[in-house]
Each structure stands twice: as C-alpha cells, then as structure tokens.
Amino acid sequence: MSPITGADLIATTLKNLGVRVVFGIVGVPIVEVGEACIAQGIQFVGFRNEQSASYAASAWGYLSGQPGVCLVVAGPGVVHALPGVVNAQENCWPMVLLGGSCETYQRGQGAFQEFPQVAACRPYTKYAFQPPTLDQLPATLTRAFHTSIVGRPGPCFVELPGDFIKASTASLDSMDHDPSASALVIPKPIQPLTTLADPAWVTQAVDCLLGAKAPLVIIGKGAAYARAESAVRALIQYTSWSFLPTPMGKGVVSDVHPQCVGSARSEALKRADVILLLGARVNWMLHFGQQFGFKAKLIQVDISPEEMGRNRPVDIPLVGDIGEVVTQLNDALVSRELPPVSSEFRKLLTPSIHRNQEKLRDLLAEDTVPMTYHRVYNEVKQALGADYHRTVIVNEGANSMDIGRVVFHCELPRHRLDAGTFSTMGVGLGYSIAAKLYYPDQLVVAVMGDSAFGFSAMEVETAVRARIPLIIIVMNNGGIYHGVSPEGYDRLANRHQLPPTALSQDTRYDLVAQGLGAKGYHVCTPEELRQALLDSLKLLGESPQVQVINCVIQPGADQKINFAWSNTGKQARL
Ligand code: ADP
Ligand code: MG
C-alpha cells in the first residue's frame, strides 16, 4: 500500500466520476494533477491559452452531457478560463473548472498568483468552492459534478490549493477496503435525476395542441442537449406538425424533413397559433417572443421553472426533462384522435419557403472571383458529398456563421457548434478539438471568419501535437463583418484611417498554420478551393493531419452591417 498524494486523490476522484479527458494548461501548483490524471488513463490536452481550453471543456459538456473539465493554474489561469465558464453558463452547459491556488497557510499574504477565485467565479457558476480540508476534496469535486448536470446544466468551480495537491495521504487501497479506516472517502457519483411534467398540464397541453389550426414546434439546443431526439422525432412524425429548429437545435429532427419550416422562419413564428417550445429560451434569439402572433398560445418545456414565462406569458408550463416530457405528450396523444392537420398553415408558409429556397439556390451558384461566402459553402458541401450530413460543423464568425446556418443542413443532433447564446467569438479551435475527441470517427470541419480564427489560431499547434485531425476553412474577407477593397486599403492605411472592422486580407493563415505543423492551402478561386478540399479529404484518409484552408473571398467593402437577429423594431431614443 503506497501512500498517495493529493494530486492522486484528485485524479482518482475524476476517474471515478467518469472523466475521460481534461483540457487545460499546467503550471505551479497543478502540474502534478495533470500528471496524475494521465497516470489514471485520463487524456490531458494541453492548450496554449486557457480561454480555448475552457471553451473546449464547455463544448465537451454539451456534446457528452457530462461536465467538461478544465484544469488551470491560479490567478491569471482562472481569469483566462472565465470566458469558457461564462460561455457554459450562458449556454446552459455542464462544466467544471479546476483552478490551482496558493498554499492555504499563505492566504492573504500576497502569495504567488493569489486571487479571490471563488468569489470571481461565483456569479457565473452554480457552485464555487474551496474545500476547507484535503479530506473534503473528493466530496467537493463530486458535488461540483453533480450540481453541474442536475436541473439546468451549468458550470462549477473547485479550487485546488497547492498544499493539498502536494500532501501525502493514506493509501487509496485502504480506503477502498475499509472506508471507515480513513476520513478520505471517494463518494460514488450520483445518478442523473429524471423530472416529469405535471400530468394535469400535460393533458391541457394536448388539448391545446389538438385544438390548434397552426401548431408549431420550436426545437432548441436544450432538446439537443437532453438527447431528446427519438421522442421529438416520434412527435413530429406522428402529428405531422411543422417545426422550426434554433441554430443549435438543428438536427434533433432532420433539416430536410418535409415538415421543417426553417426556410419560412419569420412567417412561421408570426402565423403559428400554438407554439410548443422545446428547450429554447425566449431571449434575443427568439426576438423576446415579439415575433410570435399576439394571440398565439405558448406551451413551454424546460428543465428550469424560472425560465417559464420570461419575456412572454406562458399558457402551459411543462417543467421537466425534454425527452421525458415529450414522451408524456406522445403517450397522451396516442390515446387521442388526431384531427387532420390543417393545410392552411402550410399553404401560408409555402410561398415564403419557395421564395427563400430559390434565392438561396441563386446565391449558391454565384460564380465570381473573389468568391462569395455562399459559393464557398456550396463547394464545401459538394466536396463532402455523402459524408456531408455526418460531418460535425463548427461555425463561427458573423457572416460565416449566419450564412453557414442557412446553407448547411443538419441531419444529426449535436453536429453543429456555433457561437451560441453568448455569441462568443474565439470558440472555434477549442470546440473543434473537443468535437473531434468526442466523435473520433467523424469528420470535423470548422468554417470560421478570419477575425474568429485570429482568436484561437495558436491552438492549431494544440491539435497538431495531440494528433487531432481537423479541416479548418478560414473565410478571409479581410475584416470583421466586411473588409476594405484592396485599392482603398493602402490609401486609408497611409492616412492611419482604416475602419475599426478592417483586418489585413493579405494575412496568410495557411502559412501561419504551416508554421504550427499543420498543412496549409491558399485558395482564391472556386477551382482552387475544390482542389484543396479534395486534397485535404484525401490526406485525412491517410494520416491524422490538421489542415487550414485560407480562402480569400470578397471583402464586401461598403456593405451595411446587417444583423438580422437584433431587429426588434424598437430603437433607443436620445
Ligand atoms: P437555443 O439556443 O436553442 O435557443 P437555449 O440555450 O436558449 O436554446 O435554451 C436551452 C434551454 O434548454 C434552457 O432554458 C435550459 O434550461 C433547457 N434545458 C437544458 N437541458 C434540458 C433538459 N434536459 N430538459 C429540458 N430542458 C433543458
Ligand atoms: Mg471576416
């Protein structure tokens, strides 16, 4: 029976909690924790900046349904990781941030990287705690994991003091055999809880839906997170109701399903008389409910009772797990006679659907050099061929994301990661790395704006070193939203008058990537892009390469900045 250290105890507890991968950056005092994790068979992915590591952990939480773990040093490490914590909070994803800290006996003395971390994390977490003694560390970690996934998922923080990490304790063997012999007990992970909606409300919901002329199901990323796809698909199939996915709710039911009215989004929101909202908040992404018809009835399904009726009065609140609640609805519907679905609603939406689909077809075929966003997406779609629907798409940037959301259809849930509720730019590499680790057999393609790529480009080296194959397409328009025309760029730069949105379009992201050990491609025409895509897919079949395609597109100079989501009709007054 060999003595174990605090670091071993932490790693053993994480292993016990089912952790497979830890994202982070080590340093004093947590190097030993990283090493102990590896000794336990947990993969440690070392990043170049804690920000990306924390984004990776948040995405892992969403994809796996288990808290993504991020391990960082004290002070600046924790501060750099806060973006991922806030991102997880805003998206309702489970995550546990583990931050080192100074020795407990040095607290308050201006110790190395000392910082009020628990206080800093508290506003953004469900639980933030420093275990007061080493023997409480396993229970604290277990509590953090449990809290992170029960109810509405979210991030938690646990502080790991340096003296606890280094301390040597009793042997784990003795604890396993006779827990009472030691104060150190590693608690068993608590099983997830199931929550069902009040049956009386379920009956009312079914009555309401069966009486609707224009029922609309809105499928949010909460439904994707809840792994509710089989129940939701059964509901849509059985009822023939129209549905509309939110950007990350895409794929819970296939985007190419005939009942998907995503191409007539605004019309559908306006015309529906009963809306069944599955795991989406009535926030900016749903225009605070202001686009819903004035008289439309709202049936809201969410795990969080606090969410009910926010921004829009709720007629029927169904609090519970989406998979479970939709199963309750399905069971209740089976025993009832379904009225034939009114074709009126569909008829109202059809012109919009046709108009928008036609418009999209024209945009996809645009044949210009430099290329348009649409043209690039079309080439990517064609190159992926049959694999296109199974590909995990990581999409960030302004136009890159907006257009990608429309052009790329999802057939599978949790196969699209974008900037999400917090509209976070800089998530691309962290998300892509987490996605490929979670889906080792699937192709992960990141399509990012040039600005977005800049936030996390150094993490290309992380992916190369960890042998995580990715294809990254940088939509290089030389700017945030839009760039400056090549003629205008020099003129304005000479006068130090470049607009705040400008970036240098001459930046060779492919060469940057090459310097970091990836393969780079520089493309300016559809033909070059097609060839680069084919080459990169072929290469991927041969070795686990990271590949970056620097795709020069139209700068879109002088175009108005258009952000459809923020069109609320109300203007601030001076
Ligand atoms: P979207 O980005 O698609 O609009 P949101 O992130 O705004 O989605 O909303 C997701 C919602 O899903 C949150 O309100 C969250 O409480 C809820 N949610 C998360 N997990 C579950 C679950 N298992 N069952 C029900 N609701 C859930
Ligand atoms: Mg750009």
Side-chain angles (χ1 to χ4, degrees):
M1 292 194 293
S2 51
I4 64 156
T5 63
D8 296 326
L9 185 64
I10 293 164
T12 308
T13 309
L14 294 178
K15 179 84 182 169
N16 198 41
L17 288 163
V19 175
R20 283 158 44 197
V21 54
V22 169
F23 307 93
I25 302 184
V26 296
V28 171
I30 54 146
V31 182
E32 289 84 350
V33 179
E35 289 170 348
C37 284
I38 293 169
Q40 284 288 339
I42 297 172
Q43 184 172 6
F44 180 84
V45 183
F47 279 69
R48 306 300 297 247
N49 186 315
E50 289 92 350
Q51 189 172 322
S52 286
S54 65
Y55 289 147
S58 71
W60 180 274
Y62 171 63
L63 296 173
S64 71
Q66 294 299 312
V69 180
C70 183
L71 175 68
V72 299
V73 298
V78 171
V79 171
H80 288 172
L82 270 180
V85 172
V86 180
N87 191 55
Q89 183 195 42
E90 291 294 322
N91 284 303
C92 310
W93 293 345
M95 166 181 174
V96 172
L97 177 66
L98 304 175
S101 81
C102 64
E103 275 71 3
T104 48
Y105 50 83
Q106 288 181 349
R107 261 189 248 155
Q109 298 179 50
F112 176 68
Q113 296 186 331
E114 187 180 1
F115 180 66
Q117 307 178 148
V118 172
C121 290
R122 190 162 285 137
Y124 315 111
T125 50
K126 295 177 77 178
Y127 172 79
F129 199 61
Q130 185 199 60
T133 56
L134 174 59
D135 59 352
Q136 287 183 47
L137 226 168
T140 302
L141 287 170
T142 306
R143 176 121 300 268
F145 270 64
H146 178 67
T147 307
S148 181
I149 53 169
V150 294
R152 169 181 273 175
C156 293
F157 172 70
V158 176
E159 191 166 87
L160 308 174
D163 46 339
F164 291 5
I165 291 170
K166 281 185 231 126
S168 186
T169 71
S171 93
L172 264 186
D173 291 349
S174 76
M175 284 163 34
D176 280 344
H177 294 135
D178 180 13
S180 60
S182 162
L184 284 171
V185 178
I186 298 183
K188 283 206 164 39
I190 303 158
Q191 294 306 310
L193 306 167
T194 305
T195 40
L196 298 173
D198 182 334
W201 280 123
V202 173
T203 308
Q204 287 209 32
V206 169
D207 288 342
C208 178
L209 283 159
L210 293 181
K213 289 203 165 55
L216 177 70
V217 183
I218 299 179
I219 304 173
K221 72 170 169 307
Y225 173 79
R227 294 176 147 62
E229 50 270 16
S230 60
V232 179
R233 284 174 186 195
L235 175 80
I236 296 297
Q237 207 55 40
Y238 183 67
T239 60
S240 305
W241 293 336
S242 298
F243 73 92
L244 184 70
T246 66
M248 283 180 65
K250 281 157 75 76
V252 171
V253 185
S254 166
D255 278 343
V256 292
H257 193 288
Q259 285 148 243
C260 179
V261 293
S263 311
R265 190 177 186 278
S266 307
E267 278 300 297
L269 290 175
K270 199 158 73 187
R271 307 269 186 188
D273 63 349
V274 175
I275 291 173
L276 174 62
L277 187 62
L278 303 179
R281 283 164 285 179
V282 187
N283 57 10
W284 66 277
M285 289 178 100
L286 283 173
H287 320 282
F288 313 102
Q290 289 163 9
Q291 283 192 0
F292 299 170
F294 181 61
K295 290 190 184 152
K297 292 226 166 0
L298 179 63
I299 305 171
Q300 194 171 358
V301 184
D302 203 290
I303 198 90
S304 161
E306 289 85 351
E307 198 54 44
M308 296 292 149
R310 183 153 71 120
N311 298 328
R312 168 89 191 195
V314 60
D315 296 278
I316 300 175
L318 299 177
V319 177
D321 174 76
I322 296 170
E324 301 291 341
V325 176
V326 175
T327 303
Q328 285 179 288
L329 289 172
N330 287 344
D331 291 347
L333 280 164
V334 167
S335 60
R336 303 280 291 271
E337 201 175 320
L338 282 184
V341 169
S342 154
S343 56
E344 279 306 300
F345 186 38
R346 198 63 209 188
K347 262 197 223 145
L348 282 171
L349 301 183
T350 307
S352 260
I353 294 179
H354 284 166
R355 225 180 8 254
N356 289 335
Q357 287 180 345
E358 234 163 77
K359 228 191 279 173
L360 185 62
R361 256 195 304 274
D362 291 347
L363 288 169
L364 291 178
E366 271 185 0
D367 198 15
T368 57
V369 175
M371 291 174 280
T372 60
Y373 284 98
H374 284 90
R375 182 60 195 259
V376 174
Y377 276 113
N378 201 21
E379 293 297 334
V380 175
K381 259 174 109 165
Q382 305 300 331
L384 291 175
D387 276 344
Y388 155 58
H389 295 296
R390 280 176 7 97
T391 303
V392 183
I393 295 289
V394 178
N395 207 189
E396 69 162 331
N399 300 314
S400 303
M401 186 168 70
D402 267 358
I403 296 168
R405 178 174 49 81
V406 176
V407 176
F408 268 93
H409 292 137
C410 295
E411 294 210 359
L412 298 171
R414 300 172 296 283
H415 275 56
R416 177 185 166 79
L417 288 164
D418 66 23
T421 307
F422 206 34
S423 230
T424 316
M425 292 300 139
V427 291
L429 261 294
Y431 278 14
S432 301
I433 288 169
K436 185 62 192 174
L437 288 173
Y438 186 71
Y439 295 113
D441 300 328
Q442 260 144 293
L443 182 61
V444 176
V445 175
V447 186
M448 306 159 74
D450 49 351
S451 162
F453 183 66
F455 286 89
S456 64
M458 199 62 202
E459 305 300 346
V460 165
E461 191 273 334
T462 305
V464 169
R465 175 170 26 93
R467 294 177 193 273
I468 296 171
L470 300 171
I471 294 180
I472 299 161
I473 298 161
V474 182
M475 295 281 207
N476 184 352
N477 71 340
I480 300 169
Y481 299 109
H482 51 64
V484 179
S485 68
E487 315 78 64
Y489 192 93
D490 281 342
R491 189 165 31 87
L492 292 168
N494 283 338
R495 287 195 242 142
H496 304 287
Q497 277 180 355
L498 281 173
T501 47
L503 298 169
S504 165
Q505 201 176 17
D506 293 335
T507 309
R508 292 289 300 269
Y509 298 104
D510 53 315
L511 297 182
V512 172
Q514 247 165 264
L516 296 171
K519 181 157 173 54
Y521 305 82
H522 178 64
V523 304
C524 299
T525 65
E527 293 71 34
E528 287 170 359
L529 173 60
R530 207 170 305 147
Q531 195 56 48
L533 287 164
L534 292 177
D535 289 349
S536 59
L537 288 167
K538 184 162 175 279
L539 197 60
L540 215 53
E542 294 160 9
S543 63
Q545 293 254 5
V546 180
Q547 304 179 77
V548 175
I549 303 177
N550 176 39
C551 189
V552 179
I553 60 169
Q554 290 183 3
D558 306 323
Q559 271 174 19
K560 247 181 86 192
I561 293 176
N562 195 357
F563 186 49
W565 299 94
S566 63
N567 256 340
T568 61
K570 283 193 188 158
Q571 299 290 325
R573 281 168 208 231
L574 289 175

